[in-house]
Amino acid sequence: MDDKQFDELLESIRDMGCHMRGEVVAGARVQEFPEPDVKAIRKRTGLSQTRFAYLIGVKPKTLQNWEQHRVRPAGPARVLLKIVEANPNALSVLHDG
């Protein structure tokens, strides 16, 4: 690693520290993604916690933690919740089968 690369790496680490402290970092792009309201999404489907959890492939305890905001869904789970939020009947294929 040459001096220029090291300096760029060090600057990016400093920028990350500023960002984590809530300070504005020049040139940084921050995109906010709203947290899904898991409980509201599930209720719109009319499914119980146990059935909803089963259909989206998580344990009921995980779903309860999401609904009570103790843990946040991430990755594929967030995408699936977004799909179900947009179309509550999306799980009906699995539910009826």
Side-chain angles (χ1 to χ4, degrees), residues 38-57:
V38 179
K39 188 173 187 175
I41 294 168
R42 178 186 59 81
K43 286 192 169 208
R44 286 184 59 205
T45 67
L47 298 171
S48 68
Q49 283 183 333
T50 302
R51 188 70 178 148
F52 188 85
Y54 170 77
L55 290 173
I56 66 169

Side-chain angles (χ1 to χ4, degrees), residues 2-3 11 18 25 30-31 33 46-48 53-54 61-62 64 69-70 76 82-83 91 94 96:
D2 64 27
D3 287 345
E11 182 64 26
C18 289
V25 178
V30 178
Q31 187 167 358
F33 295 98
L47 298 171
S48 68
Y54 170 77
K61 189 66 176 171
T62 300
Q64 290 169 2
H69 306 284
R70 289 192 291 253
K82 195 76 171 156
I83 291 168
L91 295 178
L94 299 172
D96 294 337

